[in-house]
Amino acid sequence: MPTLDDILEHVGEFDRFQKQTFFVLCLLSASFTPVYVGVVFFGFIPEHRCSSPGVAELSQRCGWSLEEQLNHTVPEWDGHGASFSSRCRRYEVDWNTTGISCTDPLGSLVGSGSAVPLGPCRDGWVYDSPGSSIVTEFDLVCEDSWKLDVFQSSVNAGFFIGSLNIGYIADRFGRKFCLLTTILANVVCGILLVFVPTYLWIVIIRFLQGLVSKGCWTAGYILVTEVVGPQYRRTVGILYQAAFSVGLLVFDAIAYAIPHWRWLQLTVTLPTCFLLLYYWCLPESPRWLISQGKNDKAMKIVKDMAKKNQKKIPSHFEDIKFEEEDCGKQNPSLMDLFRTPQIRKNTLILMYNWFTSSVMYQGLIMHMGMAADNMYLDFLYSALVEFPAAFIIIITIDRVGRRYPWAMSNLVAGAACLATALIPEDVHWLKVITACIGRMGITMAFEMVCFVNTELYPTYIRNLGVMVCSSLCDIGGVVVPFIVYRLAEIWHDLPLIVFTVFGLIAGGLVLLLPETKGRVLPETVEDVENFHRQSAPKAKKIYLYVQGSEVARG
């Protein structure tokens, strides 16, 4: 009874047909970058101070330099403008008063030695930035700074809700239909973001964009792994995620060239319109077609695959029908993820690691954007380290295993965050290096939890396990802006201390999981509970029965 994988051995497991599909889907993966980490540039927080009427005219009359103007007119100015008062409070004086001294303006206004009253920024803010962001456009600073957290949390809330629904659409109506509809919705949302005039509508549309964009990326991941042979599946999945890293580099370059957030949003959205051409250049997943009993359509795609790969389908594979091995139907429930000791332990550890990976990955990107001397260069450095992370995973997972590289990547990420927090600000280059090491570590951890999750559950609850555990990733994305931006107001590097604790705990917990290297995917709960055994049951397969004469398997 030959399987689809047996047919792929003859028509090509990763030849021209699969490489073309892989390439065009990598464009989709790269285009997800502005949605996932766009807050770094869309929500950039430049140095700012209260706008005070009359200050500019007084400075011009007195011939002050900018530094002299700030020292005389901004509260608690220390040369960096880092305090709350220097950014969010102003002197309650009338700078338009005649006869103000140029050497001691405050003394001439309130009297020498008298305390100068402070008040809120009633006339807006002055931003030291040549470009614009949603922060500068809507004044999301000081008392309204929490609105930037909501801006980023809204898209992650959309990820959380949308991934459940989009997964159903992909399983019910097909991978290709799911891709096309979510791409179209993502394009519409991206263009609307350019033109909506209010903060509230921006948050609503960001939420809607989150509803479709992550599910779109996931559908592409599923499709690219379903059209290749089994020995290429994991590598292709890792490289599909690496395409996201390429998107980081492209996004950084575009943001550097276009420092105005609305024009940047339009520039990164319009090219995604071309992804609608997938209707003509992408196949439907033959595995999904087979699972739906659409054998003729599946066989047509297999024949197209063979033709493009310049291979011939053996005659005994010409006519096939689908039948699923009867292993007894089981209806999965949420309680099945906690019912037995080993599965319960796997579930809790995986949930924590999904949460931690998301918090640390997004958090390090946000924090680097806040701390950067040169935001674009530091973003570039941290993006580049994602490529060796993918390479290390590829060369270690089948040689060393999953558990130790995964645990080590979490521990390295946590230790690097601690080192970054403790290094003095005047050694910025060293802080960037350690932060990049942390970024590489958490990138490895993030990529590994994606595929190890599937290896720790029996067949009938595998999809449910991945869906429930990975949902913690989106919950982490909802809370991380509040961790980064609110804690940074107390101490700039306090978020890194939190990340350190998260990473070290995650690394220790991973060591409690069983090693899955060389193991066949578990079929039953008993297989998972007895994972220490050397042998494992044969994995469940989808069979393609040959119509006509019996042919022995090769």
Side-chain angles (χ1 to χ4, degrees):
M1 294 182 294
T3 67
L4 179 61
D5 289 337
D6 295 326
I7 296 180
L8 290 178
E9 290 180 6
H10 294 277
V11 301
E13 294 187 75
F14 191 61
D15 285 328
R16 185 179 175 185
F17 181 92
Q18 288 91 346
K19 289 176 182 176
Q20 175 182 304
T21 302
F22 171 69
F23 174 76
V24 295
L25 286 173
C26 280
L27 298 177
L28 172 70
S29 180
S31 71
F32 181 54
T33 302
V35 180
Y36 196 65
V37 299
V39 67
V40 175
F41 301 115
F42 297 142
F44 170 60
I45 309 172
E47 195 56 70
H48 52 277
R49 60 188 180 276
C50 292
S51 175
S52 299
V55 165
E57 293 79 1
L58 177 62
S59 177
Q60 185 176 8
R61 178 174 66 83
C62 292
W64 290 337
S65 65
L66 178 60
E67 189 63 29
E68 289 174 327
Q69 174 188 320
L70 298 177
N71 284 328
H72 286 310
T73 62
V74 177
E76 298 182 17
W77 183 262
D78 59 1
H80 301 287
S83 70
F84 174 81
S85 292
S86 64
R87 290 173 170 172
C88 302
R89 293 292 178 263
R90 70 178 188 179
Y91 292 123
E92 288 290 298
V93 296
D94 184 2
W95 295 106
N96 290 309
T97 302
T98 58
I100 297 178
S101 168
C102 290
T103 56
D104 184 17
L106 290 175
S108 63
L109 284 168
V110 299
S112 180
S114 300
V116 184
L118 300 180
C121 302
R122 295 187 179 88
D123 297 290
W125 284 261
V126 176
Y127 297 97
D128 296 333
S129 172
S132 67
S133 68
I134 63 166
V135 171
T136 63
E137 182 171 333
F138 298 103
D139 290 330
L140 306 185
V141 293
C142 300
E143 285 78 7
D144 285 336
S145 59
W146 59 272
K147 291 183 178 179
L148 179 62
D149 309 1
V150 175
F151 169 79
Q152 180 62 11
S153 294
S154 64
V155 74
N156 281 280
F159 291 162
F160 176 69
I161 298 173
S163 59
L164 307 181
N165 299 316
I166 300 302
Y168 169 77
I169 292 174
D171 288 339
R172 176 68 179 83
F173 300 103
R175 303 351 181 181
K176 186 173 179 178
F177 175 82
C178 178
L179 276 173
L180 292 172
T181 54
T182 53
I183 287 170
L184 178 60
N186 193 39
V187 169
V188 171
C189 289
I191 293 175
L192 286 176
L193 275 173
V194 178
F195 298 105
V196 290
T198 65
Y199 165 80
L200 178 60
W201 275 109
I202 286 175
V203 170
I204 292 172
I205 294 173
R206 277 283 282 182
F207 171 77
L208 296 176
Q209 193 175 36
L211 280 177
V212 295
S213 56
K214 186 180 179 183
C216 179
W217 186 91
T218 305
Y221 181 92
I222 294 171
L223 179 56
V224 77
T225 55
E226 287 183 340
V227 297
V228 301
Q231 65 176 333
Y232 293 97
R233 202 164 292 146
R234 187 172 291 116
T235 300
V236 163
I238 294 171
L239 293 178
Y240 179 79
Q241 296 178 69
F244 175 85
S245 303
V246 176
L248 292 173
L249 302 180
V250 176
F251 184 43
D252 184 48
I254 296 173
Y256 176 76
I258 306 174
H260 300 279
W261 82 271
R262 290 189 186 269
W263 285 109
L264 175 61
Q265 174 66 41
L266 184 64
T267 303
V268 297
T269 298
L270 289 180
T272 60
C273 296
F274 291 102
L275 298 181
L276 293 171
L277 297 175
Y278 282 179
Y279 179 83
W280 291 278
C281 61
L282 266 189
E284 180 54 272
S285 167
R287 296 179 192 275
W288 178 81
L289 290 170
I290 291 170
S291 72
Q292 300 297 306
K294 300 178 180 180
N295 305 313
D296 293 340
K297 291 183 177 180
M299 198 60 200
K300 182 178 183 302
I301 291 175
V302 170
K303 290 177 179 178
D304 291 341
M305 191 182 299
K307 181 179 179 180
K308 184 162 287 189
N309 292 342
Q310 298 181 341
K311 300 288 181 66
K312 287 188 176 181
I313 302 177
S315 57
H316 52 272
F317 287 151
E318 289 289 342
D319 297 303
I320 58 176
K321 70 175 182 178
F322 167 77
E323 186 174 321
E324 190 172 357
E325 196 179 66
D326 185 14
C327 296
K329 300 293 183 181
Q330 292 177 285
N331 295 317
S333 72
L334 186 62
M335 286 306 300
D336 290 334
L337 301 178
F338 302 93
R339 202 178 305 279
T340 59
Q342 186 63 48
I343 291 181
R344 179 166 58 248
K345 181 173 74 173
N346 292 351
T347 298
L348 294 175
I349 293 175
L350 286 168
M351 289 172 74
Y352 179 80
N353 269 270
W354 273 106
F355 176 84
T356 298
S357 295
S358 175
V359 167
M360 293 183 67
Y361 183 85
Q362 293 190 57
L364 285 174
I365 292 176
M366 293 178 193
H367 190 269
M368 182 165 284
M370 293 174 58
D373 278 355
N374 186 318
M375 175 176 61
Y376 304 102
L377 272 182
D378 288 356
F379 190 91
L380 172 66
Y381 299 149
S382 65
L384 287 173
V385 301
E386 295 199 4
F387 295 99
F391 178 74
I392 292 171
I393 292 174
I394 291 173
I395 65 174
T396 59
I397 55 174
D398 290 326
R399 293 175 173 84
V400 180
R402 281 83 157 132
R403 185 171 55 175
Y404 291 118
W406 186 12
M408 185 58 64
S409 63
N410 275 302
L411 294 174
V412 167
C417 287
L418 179 61
T420 304
L422 298 179
I423 293 172
E425 290 291 338
D426 55 355
V427 195
H428 182 72
W429 63 270
L430 187 57
K431 288 179 78 75
V432 172
I433 290 175
T434 54
C436 287
I437 292 173
R439 174 77 173 275
M440 181 171 69
I442 201 58
T443 299
M444 288 181 59
F446 213 160
E447 293 187 2
M448 293 193 75
V449 71
C450 292
F451 63 81
V452 174
N453 199 151
T454 64
E455 299 175 337
L456 292 175
Y457 286 108
T459 299
Y460 85 100
I461 58 171
R462 185 168 296 127
N463 287 339
L464 178 66
V466 173
M467 182 182 71
V468 171
C469 293
S470 64
S471 68
L472 270 292
C473 164
D474 302 321
I475 294 175
V478 171
V479 302
V480 68
F482 296 92
I483 294 176
V484 174
Y485 296 127
R486 294 313 107 219
L487 293 184
E489 291 184 352
I490 301 172
W491 174 37
H492 189 272
D493 289 329
L494 184 56
L496 297 178
I497 302 299
V498 176
F499 299 157
T500 297
V501 176
F502 283 169
L504 296 181
I505 294 175
L509 290 176
V510 166
L511 294 175
L512 302 178
L513 293 173
E515 177 58 66
T516 58
K517 172 193 171 188
R519 300 295 184 92
V520 176
L521 291 178
E523 177 65 35
T524 65
V525 172
E526 289 72 22
D527 296 337
V528 177
E529 293 300 313
N530 298 293
F531 229 143
H532 61 278
R533 295 184 304 172
Q534 293 300 313
S535 59
K538 184 178 179 181
K540 182 179 181 180
K541 292 183 178 180
I542 292 176
Y543 289 100
L544 303 172
Y545 284 86
V546 179
Q547 293 181 338
S549 59
E550 280 291 325
V551 180
R553 291 182 63 183

